[in-house]
Amino acid sequence: MEVFAARCPWYLAGPVLGLCVVGMLWATNRPLGATGGFIDLVAWLRSPSSTPRWTVAFLMGVVLGGLLSGLAAGRLALDPGFAFFDQRFGTTLGTRALLLLGAGGLMGFGVHTAGGCTSGHGICGTSLGSPASWVATATFMATAMLAAAASTWIMGARP
Amino acid sequence: MKANLATLFFGAAFGFTLGWARLAEPETIYRMLRLMEPDVFLIMGSAIATATIGTRLLRRGKARTWTGGEPVTWRTVAPGRHHVAGSVLFGLGWSIACTCPGPAAVQIGRGEISGLFTGAGLLIGIAIRDATRAVSPVRAAPAQELPAVGL
C-alpha cells in the first residue's frame, strides 16, 4: 500500500508511539519497553519449563508489528537496510555479522545494567517522569552521538 | 491472558510504527546521531509529550486497567551509577549497529536477517550481565509491586 511504503511523517509517528505507552499503561498498568523482553527471553531460554514473563509478549508484538509494516509497505526483502551499514564499515555479510554481534553484546550488557533502552527509558520512563530514565537517555544519546562522530572521523567520512 | 493480548497488541502497534517511520533502518539512526535527521528528534519529542499528557490524565482520572481493574499507577526511580555506566555501553553499541533493541525486533519481523545478529548479540550480552551478578535486582522485584520505571 502506497501510504505505508512512504515514510510515516513525524507528527503521526511520534504521537502514535506515545499513545502506545498510554494505551499499554491504561490496559495493563505495565510500562512499555523492548529491553525487558530480551532479558526475560534469556531467563526463559535458561528454564524453558517456566512461563515467560509478559515482556516477552510485548517483544513478540514488536516482531509482529515489524512483519506487518513490511507487508503493508510491500518491502519484505532481505537486508536492504544494511547496504548503508556495509558502506559505512566496509563490511560484507560475514564481517557485518561479527560487528553486529559485538555491538549487540555491548548493548545487551548495557541495557540490562541500565534497566532500559531507547523505548523503556527514552520514551516511556521519561514520559512517566522518572529521573533515572532522563539520566539514562541523556547518557546514551550523548555517548552514541560522540561515538558515531568519532568513528566517522577515524575511518574517514565514508557515508 | 487479556493483559498479555493487550500487551501483544501494543507491541505490534509500536513495532509497526517504528517500521513505518523507518526507525528500523540503520541509515536513519546514523543520520540522527550525526544531527542530520531532525525527524527522529521530532518523533521522540512528540512521543514523550503525548505520553506525558496521556499518562497524567490517567493518573488524575484515577484510571483502572481495562484488563484487570487495578489502579493505574507507577513509581519513579532516582538515578544511580548503573544507569550511567550501562547507558554508556549501550550508546557505544548503538553507535555501531545504529539499531537499538526495539528496532532490532522490527528488523527481524521485516525479514532483515541481519537483525538476528543484533538480536543474538543482545541475548549474549544480557546473559553475560546475568552471569556477572548472582541475583539481578531487576528480576528480583516482587511480582505484585508497582511497575517501577527506570530500574
Side-chain angles (χ1 to χ4, degrees), chain A residues 90-115:
Chain A
T91 45
T92 54
L93 181 61
T95 43
R96 182 208 297 165
L98 285 176
L99 202 53
L100 287 175
L101 270 171
L106 266 177
M107 289 195 287
F109 194 97
V111 295
H112 196 3
T113 304

Side-chain angles (χ1 to χ4, degrees), chain A residues 46-73:
Chain A
R46 285 185 173 189
S47 55
S49 58
S50 65
T51 310
R53 272 185 90 228
W54 64 264
T55 53
V56 178
F58 181 79
L59 187 62
M60 295 304 111
V62 178
V63 174
L64 177 66
L67 170 68
L68 295 175
S69 77
L71 288 173

Side-chain angles (χ1 to χ4, degrees), chain A residues 3 5-8 14 26-27 29-30 40 53 61 66 69 76 79 88 96 107 112-113 118 125 127-128 130 132 152, chain B residues 4 7 12 20-22 30 37 47 56 65 67 73-74 77 95 99-100 109-110 113-114 121 129-130 139 147 149-150:
Chain A
V3 64
R7 184 177 181 180
C8 181
W26 196 357
N29 200 35
R30 291 167 177 173
D40 293 316
R53 272 185 90 228
S69 77
L76 272 183
D79 280 350
R88 178 178 170 206
R96 182 208 297 165
M107 289 195 287
H112 196 3
T113 304
T118 334
S127 303
L128 296 178
S130 189
T152 302
Chain B
N4 284 340
T7 300
W20 187 15
R22 309 231 169 125
Y30 175 80
E37 187 79 41
R56 292 317 179 285
T65 64
T67 55
T73 180
W74 65 89
V77 173
S95 77
T99 302
C100 48
R110 280 172 83 100
I113 48 162
S114 288
R129 182 74 185 103
D130 275 335
R139 295 307 100 186
V149 175

